[in-house]
Amino acid sequence: MTAPSTTTEQAVAEADARRGLAVDDTSVGGREYCHRLAVATDQWIEALADRARAEHPGAPRFALIAVGGYGRGELSPHSDIDLVLVHESKPERIEPVASAIWYPIWDSGQKLGHAVRTVDEHLALAKTDLDTATALLTARPIAGDRELADVIVESGRSNWAKRRKRWLADLRVRVRERQSGAGDVAYILEPDLKDGHGGIRDAQSLWWAERGNLTLSDEDNAALNDCYDVLLDARVALHRATGRPGDTLRLEDQDAAADAAGLPSADALMAEIAAAARTVAWISDEAWGRVGKTTGGSPKEVAPGVMLVDGEIELAVDADPAVDPTYMLRIATAAVRHEARIGRRALDRLAELVPQWPVPWPAGAVDKLVAFLLEGHRSIPVIEALDQRGLITRMLPEWEPVRSRPQRNAYHRYTVDRHLWEAAANASDLADRVARPDLLVLGALFHDIGKGYPGDHTEVGMDIVRELGPKLGLGDDDVDVLVAMVEHHLLLPDVAVRRDLSDPVTIRMVADAVGSHERLELLHRLTEADSIATGPSAWGGWKKELVDELVARVDHVLGGGDVADATWTLFPDAETVQSMATGEHHVRIADGRLTIVYRDEPGMFSRIAGVVSLHGLDVVAARAHSDEPQLGRVSMGASEFRVQVPDEGIDWEPVVADLDRAVQGRLAIESRLAERARTYRRRRATQAATPAAPSVTFDDGASSDATVIEVRCPTRIGILYRITKALAEVGLDIRHATVQTVGLDVVDTFYVRSWSGELISDSSHRTEIERAVLHAIG
């Protein structure tokens, strides 16, 4: 090995410095930034290769080839540097040279994707491996023997051309698999900019496919390039904002990424990404839909003026959408029922000819919309195609403000528009459970329409639907029902998880608000459809049980039944009541439910909550109950915690042991929680960049025999323990409690009385309660 010369050392240092300047350059973004960084990286890699050759003068012939994103000349700040070193020698002879190049890259902190192969090895792999084959389509020689590099690159491209039919089929399968796993970039809360449907990889795959005889129009290619720039710009901004590699734009990084991209807000960033991804996804779906499609079949009329031609829906030659704008719904419904795409020519004609819909809508138009919505989830790809051509807003101008509108909280997984389509599709699955399926799917479609406008989304939505209903051709009674569905779309889930269902006030309040069995039935199914569309944390067995229970009780009252007959207690159940009758401490565990019976005394619920937190149990709900005090009798209490049981299960033995000690007052809960908080490494989770301020609210009308306190705040270790300890400190007895965790926020509701059994009406006492709870929250 020869010692490196001063000249080669200086060249490496200077190239490394230039690369550092390119990484930190904020004067440009997107593709221009990536290209500049790739050029600077080229110079650095070339200098490293020159030094390696100088150190090993007898080294065999080799070439360094850039592949992947680096090969395309598109390096984001923390992209992998993908290199292949090809040679014509034995591994032991080339290894010192390779190490001399790889180790300085690793030492600099860069992530290196590397391979060392002979020419024959690499070309053989390129004949069987799709990733290797596609990588060579955009490969670039960086350093070493140019003739050797050219052999690899040209042979790779020749291989692709010879096997293009096979590669095109393999690539199509790969695209579908990748898209199904990563979700839609345009619609989900935390998009995968690279692998998601409509993302960077979709555009790249189309350009690879062009070399396999897939044809893209000049218009599509221009649009694809524009959208690609937007997505690359977002990826560069993400890397700058986080200081680390990654392609998923998480909620907590979106504000910083927007700032790095020079945009005014995260909403503006996500709207740009959504618009670009919609276009990429549509071009991709349309192009891949042509691959393998059989042609030459006889056209078939599947609806008046609607033809099925070569597996796609087309307009009849004499069809005139300008005369009847509802024609687009006839086409859309036919596409869904025949599981076919709307053809490119048909979409172009619709976009050209369909006018803004008249007001009011033509007779029967709303029935066509309902029929389309009742097709369910199959309708969503068709909706996206119509929306890509601007046809949805010609039908519903009120839709424009919710298009691509992000919902930046951990509860929702979709943009507003996609959430509404998903809710309507879910509602169609429940249509057989209501008397008016038409109102169910329309209510689902419009329940959050107000989110695109300033003001409270429910109040604004009610006003919009009140005006929109007559435009659709609905009667006054139906409009009133839809307005009520918008007004009360959160009523059932909020009451079910935050209020005591055994309290007559709760049942009467919901019955008065709903007013009729028909509306209750519609709200019940809207709650389910909306919750499922919201995300996995919004719906589950526990919530469904509570909502179903609430609906059954309210329906009893609406049917003329006595409210007293609809206020039986859910907790404690019969088994827990029997345990309480013994007057002894008892713990029961079943199906993720931890039930504890104890002698009631101040702070007992808080102690139990502390133990649950100490053991890191993921609480999805909690309830508490205390006996009414009776002279000469020990007052008993019971608490139930429903926890999320992980796949590996829960070791309950230490939990039960600590519960026994806590109930007896022999566990240093405060100290142990503080220790856990210091050593606990918060797992990465989605959260709003600026969480809502903590709040303490008193609701005097929610119960006849208790004061209801609702606490909202970000969750942290021991938060339920701290809140309940604060309530005990100011002399409150928790008669009933519900706990709801939404992402990293909690909404806890407590039915309380003083220890002497009185309601909390004194304003000074309430001030102290609020002070104590807010201090505990921190």
Side-chain angles (χ1 to χ4, degrees):
M1 175 175 173
T2 302
S5 68
T6 304
T7 302
T8 56
E9 285 296 330
Q10 184 176 353
V12 169
E14 290 176 352
D16 190 20
R18 286 193 295 272
R19 186 180 187 281
L21 292 174
V23 169
D24 296 335
D25 183 9
T26 58
S27 65
V28 293
R31 198 179 296 194
E32 177 63 24
Y33 173 92
C34 295
H35 285 175
R36 290 188 186 185
L37 180 54
V39 169
T41 303
D42 288 352
Q43 296 168 358
W44 181 46
I45 299 299
E46 187 174 7
L48 290 174
D50 289 344
R51 185 175 69 179
R53 281 186 297 191
E55 292 174 348
H56 302 277
R61 185 179 178 213
F62 74 90
L64 269 180
I65 301 172
V67 295
Y70 183 28
R72 289 186 300 275
E74 295 169 357
L75 283 182
S76 296
H78 297 281
S79 291
D80 294 1
I81 298 175
D82 293 324
L83 289 167
V84 177
L85 190 155
V86 293
H87 62 97
E88 293 181 321
S89 182
K90 294 181 179 180
E92 59 268 20
R93 291 196 62 205
I94 200 65
E95 191 278 331
V97 178
S99 296
I101 298 170
W102 302 156
Y103 277 94
I105 299 174
W106 285 324
D107 291 344
S108 71
Q110 302 303 310
K111 189 174 180 183
L112 174 66
H114 65 292
V116 179
R117 301 187 184 110
T118 66
V119 173
D120 289 343
E121 286 172 342
H122 198 72
L123 293 181
L125 190 61
K127 292 177 182 179
T128 58
D129 180 65
L130 179 62
D131 290 333
T132 304
T134 56
L136 286 177
L137 293 177
T138 53
R140 293 184 301 115
I142 299 297
D145 191 298
R146 184 59 183 255
E147 182 180 346
L148 196 60
D150 286 344
V151 168
I152 293 293
V153 173
E154 292 306 319
S155 296
R157 292 170 183 171
S158 174
N159 162 66
W160 183 272
K162 290 177 182 177
R163 295 170 175 80
R164 59 176 174 259
K165 187 173 182 180
R166 169 197 165 179
W167 291 133
L168 199 60
D170 289 351
L171 188 57
R172 183 191 186 199
V173 171
R174 178 72 63 83
V175 166
R176 293 290 182 253
E177 290 174 348
R178 173 176 45 76
Q179 290 173 348
S180 64
D184 291 281
V185 175
Y187 300 109
I188 62 176
L189 179 68
E190 296 183 319
D192 184 333
L193 299 173
K194 180 180 177 182
D195 288 334
H197 184 203
I200 290 169
R201 187 66 85 200
D202 270 353
Q204 294 166 353
S205 296
L206 287 173
W207 290 324
W208 294 333
E210 275 195 297
R211 302 197 183 201
N213 284 356
L214 179 71
T215 303
L216 295 177
S217 68
D218 291 343
E219 179 186 358
D220 280 354
N221 246 320
L224 209 57
N225 271 284
D226 288 343
C227 295
Y228 191 73
D229 284 342
V230 171
L231 296 173
L232 271 186
D233 199 23
R235 188 172 187 245
V236 169
L238 172 62
H239 283 203
R240 284 173 170 167
T242 61
R244 61 177 180 267
D247 299 302
T248 299
L249 186 48
R250 300 195 182 281
L251 186 58
E252 67 266 30
D253 298 326
Q254 290 171 9
D255 285 314
D259 187 60
L263 293 172
S265 67
D267 281 359
L269 171 67
M270 301 310 291
E272 280 198 2
I273 291 171
R278 278 174 183 260
T279 299
V280 172
W282 190 85
I283 294 173
S284 175
D285 290 349
E286 193 276 335
W288 289 113
R290 289 188 268 116
V291 175
K293 185 177 75 172
T294 57
T295 58
S298 300
K300 175 184 176 183
E301 187 172 47
V302 293
V306 181
M307 310 298 294
L308 182 63
V309 182
D310 294 335
E312 293 187 341
I313 295 295
E314 294 288 352
L315 280 67
V317 175
D318 57 352
D320 187 1
V323 175
D324 180 10
T326 67
Y327 193 66
M328 62 176 264
L329 288 176
R330 191 187 315 159
I331 293 169
T333 303
V336 173
R337 290 176 179 172
H338 292 273
E339 297 182 345
R341 290 175 54 83
I342 301 178
R344 183 73 170 261
R345 288 171 300 174
L347 285 170
D348 289 343
R349 285 183 65 190
L350 289 173
E352 178 186 357
L353 298 174
V354 170
Q356 200 74 29
W357 281 37
V359 177
W361 282 10
V366 71
D367 297 330
K368 293 179 181 179
L369 174 60
V370 167
F372 177 66
L373 294 175
L374 286 171
E375 293 296 329
H377 288 89
R378 298 185 304 167
S379 68
I380 291 179
V382 177
I383 291 165
E384 292 171 359
L386 295 175
D387 197 33
Q388 183 63 26
R389 286 293 194 265
L391 292 164
I392 299 297
T393 53
R394 294 189 200 178
M395 176 176 68
L396 291 167
E398 297 83 358
W399 197 259
E400 182 62 39
V402 302
R403 287 187 78 247
S404 302
R405 188 174 185 85
Q407 304 193 76
R408 299 187 60 248
N409 60 66
Y411 211 38
H412 285 85
R413 59 181 167 182
Y414 292 124
T415 54
V416 177
D417 54 344
R418 181 58 177 267
H419 169 73
L420 292 174
W421 292 121
E422 291 282 345
N426 293 336
S428 75
D429 294 337
L430 305 169
D432 60 345
R433 305 184 193 183
V434 297
R436 292 292 304 273
D438 56 335
L439 294 181
L440 177 61
V441 292
L442 289 174
L445 182 64
F446 297 130
H447 75 275
D448 272 347
I449 191 74
K451 285 187 174 179
Y453 299 80
D456 178 85
H457 85 275
T458 297
E459 294 178 2
V460 174
M462 291 167 61
D463 292 339
I464 291 172
V465 171
R466 193 174 285 112
E467 293 183 11
L468 179 59
K471 293 180 184 180
L472 304 185
L474 298 174
D476 291 345
D477 290 344
D478 287 351
V479 172
D480 288 343
V481 171
L482 285 180
V483 171
M485 292 176 72
V486 175
E487 180 182 10
H488 298 305
H489 71 275
L490 296 176
L491 176 66
L492 298 184
D494 282 356
V495 170
V497 300
R498 298 178 190 171
R499 293 293 182 261
D500 181 3
L501 303 190
S502 65
D503 193 316
V505 173
T506 299
I507 305 305
R508 285 198 197 96
M509 181 272 291
V510 176
D512 290 344
V514 173
S516 70
H517 169 78
E518 178 190 62
R519 292 188 181 185
L520 179 65
E521 181 181 71
L522 289 168
L523 286 171
H524 187 190
R525 299 312 168 190
L526 173 60
T527 295
E528 184 172 352
D530 179 23
S531 298
I532 294 171
T534 296
S537 63
W539 193 247
W542 165 76
K543 189 171 183 178
K544 183 180 186 303
E545 287 174 19
L546 291 178
V547 170
D548 289 350
E549 187 66 43
L550 173 61
V551 168
R553 294 174 185 230
V554 172
D555 197 38
H556 173 79
V557 173
L558 289 175
D562 190 334
V563 71
D565 297 332
T567 52
W568 63 92
T569 300
L570 286 172
F571 180 79
D573 56 17
E575 187 174 355
T576 304
V577 170
Q578 289 177 0
S579 296
M580 294 173 69
T582 67
E584 300 296 330
H585 167 59
H586 177 75
V587 177
R588 185 174 77 252
I589 300 164
D591 300 324
R593 298 186 185 187
L594 174 64
T595 305
I596 310 98
V597 172
Y598 44 82
R599 295 192 176 195
D600 201 15
E601 59 182 76
M604 189 62 75
F605 182 78
S606 176
R607 293 185 215 170
I608 295 168
V611 171
V612 169
S613 183
L614 275 177
H615 288 271
L617 302 184
D618 187 4
V619 178
V620 294
R623 292 187 283 198
H625 172 81
S626 295
D627 276 345
E628 292 291 338
Q630 295 183 19
L631 189 63
R633 181 173 176 268
V634 174
S635 181
M636 297 296 292
S639 298
E640 179 187 77
F641 289 78
R642 178 172 284 210
V643 301
Q644 190 73 42
V645 179
D647 293 339
E648 63 273 17
I650 296 173
D651 182 2
W652 289 107
E653 187 175 342
V655 178
V656 173
D658 279 349
L659 283 171
D660 289 341
R661 291 197 287 167
V663 167
Q664 297 173 51
R666 296 191 295 109
L667 188 67
I669 298 173
E670 187 81 31
S671 173
R672 287 173 176 268
L673 280 174
E675 181 181 353
R676 176 173 167 78
R678 283 194 300 269
T679 58
Y680 177 68
R681 184 176 182 180
R682 180 184 293 273
R683 67 181 183 271
R684 183 178 180 82
T686 56
Q687 59 180 331
T690 306
S695 65
V696 178
T697 306
F698 293 85
D699 189 342
D700 292 317
S703 176
S704 59
D705 61 357
T707 299
V708 176
I709 301 175
E710 186 173 277
V711 180
R712 294 171 178 256
C713 64
T715 190
R716 60 188 178 96
I717 293 173
I719 190 65
L720 181 59
Y721 164 76
R722 300 183 193 287
I723 293 171
T724 52
K725 183 182 178 185
L727 294 177
E729 181 186 61
V730 287
L732 300 185
D733 178 24
I734 299 172
R735 317 299 298 175
H736 177 88
T738 63
V739 176
Q740 184 183 23
T741 303
V742 181
L744 288 187
D745 292 325
V746 294
V747 182
D748 295 348
T749 305
F750 304 96
Y751 284 66
V752 301
R753 291 190 296 206
S754 69
W755 275 101
S756 58
E758 299 171 342
L759 301 183
I760 313 303
S761 58
D762 181 69
S763 60
S764 61
H765 192 186
R766 289 191 175 195
T767 299
E768 292 304 303
I769 293 169
E770 183 176 10
R771 181 191 298 273
V773 171
L774 291 177
H775 176 74
I777 291 170

